[in-house]
Amino acid sequence: ERFFDMYPEAEDIPLAANKYPPEGMPDVAFNPTGNCTADTPMPDEYARKARRAYMAAVSYMDSFVGSILEALEDSGRASDTLVVFASDHGWQLGEHGEWQKMTNFDLATRVPLIVRAPWKENAVGRSDALVELVGLFPSMAELAGIPTVADEHPLEGESFAPAFDDSEWQGQGWALSQYPRAPKTTAAKQNDDKSLSADPVNDNITVMGYSLRVEGWRYTEWASFDGTANGGKGKVDWTAPLYGVELYDHSDAVGDINDLDAHENVNVAESPENKGIVAELSKQLREIVADSVRSK
């Protein structure tokens, strides 16, 4: 209760300013939560309560982070211990009418990432480079001076350890995420996007959303996928018609990167002036997915 008391009463909690699906969004991109759909958002009363509860939960979690770091200091090992604060996914609190995760929007795929290596006394601080969670292992190994198995088995992730020493480091310049869809019924047909579920069993996956984040843009393709192929690892079929394409402007002109309501409100994939960037990002995305499959 004390964590709830840190925040105003529910009626004073602000709602998401963009509590509607992006204009031009393909149906397959949306993940309904309970009775909340793209056409029927959560009632404001409950949305405010849910947002307040999430704020309290974050503060509750943060108190444990403080306890862990305090214990580390007391142990005498803080000066030679690598500390990483991260999350496995983002979270949506009514933005775009979405709740929880299970989408390829920036709010669901972007996570906090704080790394402290005490022996890096001249670390440059905050970096705006695009990095991936699959880069955590090689990054931690490099920072700690521990060899990896990269020579025996290629690693998908790129180490972002160089960012500690070089404020201009941008690395590969992209981050890939993906999220599946599967039929809610066996009668689901191609392009009947509203009959797709966001919580599938692997064998049932028929659509995979691949999303590429680069400087200034997020580009997503929802492709036909056979979840039973390759021993259950699945296989994408780029020759089949796509279920949907999304392109969102993340340039500074749209808004600050930390303004959760400013971005991805209009899908501009069909805009004639974006034909070139769509073709470029589609090619890049498919090459990255192919390289990822080959490395496994």
Side-chain angles (χ1 to χ4, degrees), residues 261-284:
D261 297 315
H263 295 280
E264 301 189 350
N265 294 319
V266 181
N267 177 15
V268 296
E270 296 297 325
S271 298
E273 63 269 25
N274 293 326
K275 185 177 180 180
I277 189 66
V278 166
E280 176 185 332
L281 292 178
S282 177
K283 181 175 182 293
Q284 184 180 6

